Amino acid sequence: MDGENSCHAGLTLIQETSREQLEAIDQLQAEIKKRTTQMNTLHQRFAFLQIQTLLDTGKDDFIKKQIQLTCAQYTELNAASMLTEITRLRHHIILYKEVNPDKQVANWSALDLLRWMYKWKLQESLTNFVVTLRIFLTITVSTASCERRFSKLKLIKTYQRSTMSQERLSNLAILSIERDFNVDFNSVVEKFALIKSRRI
């Protein structure tokens, strides 16, 4: 405005560092919240796959509910067939424990159980259960955007671009990471043309 003195409204080095640290903490908190939400969803859908739960006959009602939830989500699975397969699987595991008493079956993970089923060629008699285990083991919990950023930085800032400014690097990283956004290039070109024409 007329009569006012110009002043520098930028942040000091300490303020800028504090702002960047708080931004990083916010991003970390958001990623942790996102991952825990996805982990809870996964647990609700596949909790019955734990070997202790499968072998416990007192949890049959819980297993039945879980199987119905999972089969509603994945159409290639059949709830009735899976319930009979779990009974069959229990008999196989009990026989295996009797023959191999030194094996710690209770400590098996889902991957150990799947490997055991393939080793003893049980995948044909337990098809629905094998498919469920394979789905569970191939689901990713989250794609961490911070990890994507670091991998993109290596591609953007190469030896040929070593003198790039921090602002340009940040802008290129954002463009590279968020490239899935739909941008109307015609409107961008029109805005750019209007800005340039005013300066002339």
Side-chain angles (χ1 to χ4, degrees), residues 137-152:
L137 291 168
T138 53
I139 287 177
T140 54
V141 172
S142 169
T143 55
S145 56
C146 55
E147 292 168 11
R148 280 173 27 220
R149 286 186 186 131
F150 282 118
S151 62
K152 282 290 177 186

Side-chain angles (χ1 to χ4, degrees), residues 22-45:
L22 289 171
E23 191 178 322
I25 289 168
D26 285 345
Q27 181 68 33
L28 182 66
Q29 187 179 10
E31 285 293 334
I32 289 170
K33 188 177 179 182
K34 183 180 173 185
R35 285 181 184 225
T36 50
T37 305
Q38 290 177 342
M39 286 289 282
N40 287 335
T41 307
L42 231 100
H43 178 71
Q44 287 168 3
R45 208 174 283 163

Side-chain angles (χ1 to χ4, degrees), residues 115-127:
R115 284 178 177 158
W116 176 79
M117 289 162 76
Y118 271 96
K119 181 182 175 183
W120 294 101
K121 297 184 178 19
L122 299 171
Q123 65 269 26
E124 289 180 15
S125 63
L126 306 169
T127 50

Side-chain angles (χ1 to χ4, degrees), residues 42 46 74 114 131-141:
L42 231 100
F46 295 103
Y74 302 100
L114 185 65
V131 170
T132 309
L133 280 169
R134 286 169 63 188
I135 289 170
F136 171 67
L137 291 168
T138 53
I139 287 177
T140 54
V141 172

Side-chain angles (χ1 to χ4, degrees), residues 81-82 84-90 92 113-114 116-117 121-133:
S81 300
M82 194 177 291
T84 56
E85 286 178 16
I86 284 178
T87 310
R88 205 175 303 144
L89 177 69
R90 282 176 178 163
H92 287 304
L113 182 59
L114 185 65
W116 176 79
M117 289 162 76
K121 297 184 178 19
L122 299 171
Q123 65 269 26
E124 289 180 15
S125 63
L126 306 169
T127 50
N128 283 287
F129 200 77
V130 168
V131 170
T132 309
L133 280 169

Side-chain angles (χ1 to χ4, degrees), residues 7-12 15-16:
C7 62
H8 182 62
L11 299 173
T12 64
Q15 290 172 328
E16 181 66 27

